[in-house]
Amino acid sequence: MAMAASRCFLLLLLLLLSPLLEPGAGEEEQEAVLAMAARLPRPAAVSFREGYTQLFGDSNLALHGHGKRVRISLDERTGAGFASQDAYLHGFFSASIKLPADYAAGVVVAFYMSNGDVYEKTHDELDFEFLGNIKGREWRVQTNVYGNGSTSVGREERFYIDETPIREVQRTKSMGVQFPSKPMSLYATIWDGSSWATSGGRYKVNYKYAPFVAEFSELMLHGCTIDTLTHAPMCAPDIASIHNAVAMSGRQRSAMERFRTKYMTYGYCYDRLRYPTPLSECNVGPEAELFLPTGEARSMDRHGRARRHRRGPADSAF
């Protein structure tokens, strides 16, 4: 199913910087890991004042339901955004997000983790960017990963999304310092991306449909914070071990692979113009024939979604 405009859905961002479960681990070890994960306390939603602070947008950020719902809007004057009060080494971060309805071309709603305010030239970032579309067309989701300032090496993938895992980023030796490894804060923003967001900039933001409003609710911050002065972890070692042990179940992984096969519309591993030699973490096989040299899917249905034959597992470690 594609993601319709104005739909409210849950987005979970899981940050694990040093996983304990190695590929090929035995069944007993996997069971032990899942048992450890079961010990994690159930995350509870926090109010805006408990966990967040406004970044920009003055009156374009409004609180509702005693601060449990946050609406950020874009108009001709400005967008808006907010960020977590703390930075985290690892954890679970999620929100239920309702996107603007109707015509939303050029509008970008972002939910991401970054430390660019602390490490200007060597920052890490994990992105979910929701890209608006013209009336009657679905929003797209673009994901990206930066590590240690590797902004010149984009690892974008784009999807039409539903309630299933869509991407996993594993720590590999080949990525080296380009794997995100420093504490990050959580951000949510809405802004004008007319120059690139919809059909490469063909469709711009039309402010006669403004304001464009995105609502965030069920905001969850559950992770290991750091001391802002010493950058030392503020969580107990056993909690850190449990966080790092969490892994997707076999059912979730199968669902993710099916989703990627059906709905991925762009993959950097297949972009031969940008990367004549695929990046080291890419595992490109015969399925590459289903993508254009630009990395875009060859076959799209009338709604703009990828239409492909069955292929093997996910193309990369992501």
Side-chain angles (χ1 to χ4, degrees):
M1 298 291 290
M3 181 176 62
S6 193
R7 177 175 175 181
C8 193
F9 65 98
L10 184 68
L11 174 64
L12 171 67
L13 197 160
L14 171 62
L15 176 63
L16 305 173
L17 294 182
S18 51
L20 300 180
L21 186 63
E22 298 295 333
E27 184 175 339
E28 291 185 1
E29 186 176 358
Q30 291 179 0
E31 290 180 357
V33 164
L34 294 176
M36 292 177 68
R39 292 165 49 200
L40 281 171
R42 182 178 179 84
V46 299
S47 70
F48 184 86
R49 293 183 177 86
E50 289 174 317
Y52 298 90
T53 185
Q54 184 169 358
L55 285 177
F56 68 99
D58 47 75
S59 61
N60 281 22
L61 185 150
L63 303 181
H64 299 269
H66 303 288
K68 295 291 187 179
R69 304 195 312 275
V70 186
R71 292 177 183 171
I72 53 177
S73 60
L74 168 69
D75 56 28
E76 289 183 280
R77 186 176 57 88
T78 185
F82 59 94
S84 62
Q85 296 173 12
D86 295 313
Y88 298 84
L89 281 169
H90 45 72
F92 298 85
F93 313 93
S94 68
S96 180
I97 308 171
K98 186 175 183 180
L99 298 169
D102 209 350
Y103 183 100
V107 176
V108 178
V109 176
F111 183 75
Y112 64 102
M113 301 198 75
S114 178
N115 50 33
D117 58 330
V118 178
Y119 305 97
E120 184 177 350
K121 295 183 179 180
T122 59
H123 88 285
D124 304 315
E125 194 165 314
L126 301 174
D127 288 335
F128 282 87
E129 292 178 325
F130 301 84
L131 312 180
N133 217 328
I134 59 176
K135 188 174 183 179
R137 298 289 295 275
E138 296 92 347
W139 285 66
R140 283 198 305 176
V141 177
Q142 174 170 284
T143 66
N144 209 340
V145 179
Y146 299 119
N148 201 40
S150 61
T151 53
S152 62
V153 183
R155 290 179 164 90
E156 299 96 335
E157 291 181 345
R158 300 189 189 110
F159 305 85
Y160 290 95
I161 191 172
D162 208 338
E163 297 174 359
T164 191
I166 65 170
R167 186 172 185 179
E168 180 184 23
V169 181
Q170 297 180 346
R171 181 192 292 271
T172 63
K173 290 182 179 179
S174 62
M175 287 186 71
V177 297
Q178 293 185 0
F179 185 88
S181 59
K182 299 184 290 295
M184 291 185 279
S185 299
L186 182 68
Y187 294 84
T189 57
I190 185 170
W191 45 282
D192 187 328
S194 290
S195 63
W196 66 276
T198 307
S199 299
R202 178 182 178 186
Y203 300 103
K204 315 291 185 183
V205 173
N206 187 337
Y207 284 103
K208 80 174 185 178
Y209 296 99
F212 302 97
V213 180
E215 181 177 286
F216 289 74
S217 60
E218 300 178 53
L219 293 162
M220 294 185 186
L221 291 171
H222 185 78
C224 183
T225 60
I226 62 161
D227 185 285
T228 55
L229 296 178
T230 65
H231 291 269
M234 300 289 286
C235 58
D238 60 332
I239 296 298
S241 297
I242 296 172
H243 274 144
N244 286 334
V246 176
M248 279 193 291
S249 68
R251 179 178 296 180
Q252 288 175 317
R253 189 172 299 280
S254 296
M256 180 179 72
E257 291 173 353
R258 290 193 299 270
F259 182 93
R260 292 171 64 83
T261 297
K262 188 174 183 180
Y263 291 112
M264 188 163 71
T265 65
Y266 170 86
Y268 72 96
C269 285
Y270 304 113
D271 193 335
R272 298 187 294 279
L273 299 182
R274 189 177 186 185
Y275 301 117
T277 300
L279 297 182
S280 58
E281 70 272 8
C282 295
N283 183 20
V284 177
E287 77 281 353
E289 297 180 358
L290 301 174
F291 294 83
L292 297 168
T294 60
E296 300 285 345
R298 286 184 182 275
S299 300
M300 308 292 287
D301 68 15
R302 64 188 179 87
H303 296 296
R305 295 188 295 265
R307 184 177 65 241
R308 306 204 260 283
H309 303 291
R310 288 190 62 173
R311 60 178 175 89
D315 54 282
S316 72
F318 291 64

